[in-house]
Amino acid sequence: MKRRLHGWLAAPALIVCLGLVAAACGDSGGGDAGSGGTGGGGPSQVQLAAATLNGSGATFPRAFYEEVILAFKDAQPAVTVNYAGGGSGTGRQNLQDGVVDFAGSDGLVRADDVPKYKGEFLYFPTVVAPITVSYNLSGVDRLSLNADTIARIFQRQVTVWNDPAIAATNAGVSLPSTPIVVAHRSDGSGTTENFTKYLAAAAPNVWTRGSGSTVEWPTDTQAGNGNTGVAQIVQSTNGAIGYVDLADAKASGLKFASVINKAGQPVTPTLAATSAALDGVPVNADLTYNPLNADGATSYPISAPTWVLVYKNQTDRAKGEALKGFLTFMLTEGQELAEDVDYARLPVSLQQKALQKVNEIVVPAP
């Protein structure tokens, strides 16, 4: 993972960003109630009033959000943004309880939970990234796994590394008889939700544990809090395997397997393979979409989306305008930071739709 100093913005990128903001915001400058306002205007256009925004939720995009928050502070010094992580389930619950201004979530709100929220909420896609199948196996530096075998490993039906199912997709690799240690999330997690949704879609005749932010794992597995917690288990245990976002896997120095996709091709979890998985994926009107187990010979099949959730009708003008400014920044200048912290930026078409949706946020009149 690379981190860069701010004051980074190249002139061509700035021109593109301002063009997108203008397209999203039109030519008004009011931010009046009922119109959605323009408080999301680019930070180089309007200096926002003092406000503090608090968010919590997904750890999957946390490295990207931390970079964006730092850069946004440079551009809008009067606005402070805090992001606590805690997992997608925590973020959704906190937004539902009204104790945060925005939630990070890798998963969608269940239909039976929607009435529990304090009003209509909006989804804003932010970045996309691969979920790696990370492992720690002494002497084995390359590995290819298909969906059925991954499902059997995480269900504890394959328990040693030289099992014939693993050997079948790893010709020429000397696999030891080391016992497999499975690591998973202990908290309500969007990474778990997307990983198990992938297994349900790609290994429907093998995976039997369902999908969701939590599932019932076998009792002889180990649990870690957040992506970093799973990464720590894998990093410290020879024979371990776990699902970890790319940023945390790289930061922890983990090895990760190539995953055999629908086209039968082993694909490593790169940003290019993640972007390939988005080609042709339909996007719903609320900007939700599903790139898991996507078609395409070069697609990485465990490419996961993530969103920021906010209430459509804001009750505090300064916070509402700051929230629109922060989202607009994340969707324009912030996208330039994505690849440096191991996330794929949004396709331009989805980026433009998200910018247009910023204008649906309604803030109180002065």
Side-chain angles (χ1 to χ4, degrees), residues 207-233:
W207 182 249
T208 61
R209 293 182 177 268
S211 62
S213 58
T214 60
V215 299
E216 186 175 349
W217 297 102
T219 56
D220 60 345
T221 55
Q222 295 189 22
N225 187 49
N227 274 285
T228 55
V230 176
Q232 287 170 356
I233 294 171

Side-chain angles (χ1 to χ4, degrees), residues 149-240:
T149 301
I150 296 171
R152 290 191 174 97
I153 289 172
F154 279 83
Q155 290 183 150
R156 304 293 291 147
Q157 295 161 324
V158 168
T159 58
V160 291
W161 280 103
N162 63 349
D163 187 282
I166 298 176
T169 55
N170 290 282
V173 177
S174 179
L175 295 166
S177 59
T178 307
I180 296 175
V181 176
V182 169
H184 58 80
R185 292 283 289 272
S186 60
D187 51 321
S189 159
T191 310
T192 298
E193 181 168 349
N194 284 314
F195 182 67
T196 54
K197 280 183 175 176
Y198 160 72
L199 291 176
N205 298 320
V206 177
W207 182 249
T208 61
R209 293 182 177 268
S211 62
S213 58
T214 60
V215 299
E216 186 175 349
W217 297 102
T219 56
D220 60 345
T221 55
Q222 295 189 22
N225 187 49
N227 274 285
T228 55
V230 176
Q232 287 170 356
I233 294 171
V234 175
Q235 183 186 48
S236 62
T237 311
N238 186 42

Side-chain angles (χ1 to χ4, degrees), residues 62-81:
R62 185 169 184 170
F64 172 64
Y65 292 168
E66 288 175 345
E67 287 295 295
V68 171
I69 287 169
L70 285 173
F72 185 66
K73 187 66 175 177
D74 287 346
Q76 293 287 350
V79 179
T80 298
V81 183

